[in-house]
Amino acid sequence: MNKKEDFMTTETMNGTEQHYRIGDFAEMTGLTSPTLRYYEKEGLVKPHRSENGLRYYTDADVNWIKFLLHLKSTGMSIEQLKLYVQWRAEGDSTISKRLDLLKKVRADFMKKMDDLDHSLTILDDKIDWYAGKTEGRISDSEGFAEYLENMNHAE
């Protein structure tokens, strides 16, 4: 095996572990290399290092990043992610803190979902109102506010 192949896989007790360079890892996770370096700087991900100091990541790191991205997509801030990562590293004694944080993030996310759902309803109503105007189902004199009132929708 040459050095490059040695870098790409290692033998573990559970078999062979695949290693990914930062560019490949970035592509696998949908992130950019600078974003991964930022996440590393913020302590969200800890790449492994080869003997010559090159970053590499494993399949477990892929799963970790995917999990962090799920949390981030709920609106979790970088600061909240950092807290979560810190508490996770501290072990089971912080489970209640992590649970409380996740519950707060979920409540905030559900509020945003409700707001988005309402906005989508208004958008659909506006589309229907315009379609009704062009198709003659809605009179020229009926304004959008009146239309919403007739639909029992609030603006």
Side-chain angles (χ1 to χ4, degrees):
M1 279 196 201
N2 66 33
K3 283 279 188 200
K4 186 172 183 176
E5 289 171 341
D6 286 344
F7 181 74
M8 298 305 288
T9 60
T10 57
E11 295 296 321
T12 67
M13 290 177 45
N14 298 328
T16 302
E17 180 180 66
Q18 187 69 38
H19 293 179
Y20 307 100
R21 295 179 188 269
I22 192 167
D24 296 329
F25 186 69
E27 188 175 317
M28 293 173 71
T29 60
L31 298 173
T32 64
S33 296
T35 299
L36 285 170
R37 288 185 191 97
Y38 171 73
Y39 281 11
E40 178 183 349
K41 183 179 140 254
E42 293 299 319
L44 300 177
V45 64
K46 262 191 168 164
H48 310 275
R49 296 283 181 171
S50 67
E51 288 180 12
N52 59 0
L54 293 175
R55 288 177 180 87
Y56 73 88
Y57 302 86
T58 66
D59 289 322
D61 297 318
V62 172
N63 293 333
W64 175 244
I65 286 291
K66 286 180 180 178
F67 177 70
L68 287 178
L69 291 176
H70 284 298
L71 291 178
K72 190 171 180 293
S73 73
T74 66
M76 201 171 194
S77 69
I78 293 294
E79 290 306 313
Q80 289 172 316
L81 286 168
K82 287 166 63 172
L83 267 177
Y84 182 87
V85 169
Q86 175 189 332
W87 290 337
R88 180 178 177 261
E90 291 174 14
D92 287 352
S93 65
T94 64
I95 285 177
S96 63
K97 288 180 181 180
R98 286 181 271 163
L99 178 60
D100 289 344
L101 175 61
L102 293 176
K103 284 180 176 180
K104 181 191 179 323
V105 168
R106 185 181 193 288
D108 293 345
F109 181 73
M110 293 308 294
K111 170 72 171 101
K112 287 177 190 167
M113 288 286 292
D114 288 344
D115 292 346
L116 286 171
D117 188 51
H118 180 70
S119 294
L120 180 59
T121 297
I122 298 300
L123 178 62
D124 288 341
D125 289 342
K126 191 69 160 184
I127 290 169
D128 189 56
W129 182 73
Y130 280 130
K133 291 277 193 177
T134 61
E135 296 164 3
R137 289 185 287 114
I138 298 173
S139 71
D140 289 340
S141 63
E142 184 178 353
F144 186 60
E146 183 182 349
Y147 174 77
L148 286 178
E149 191 176 301
N150 291 336
M151 298 279 294
N152 291 323
H153 289 175
E155 194 165 357

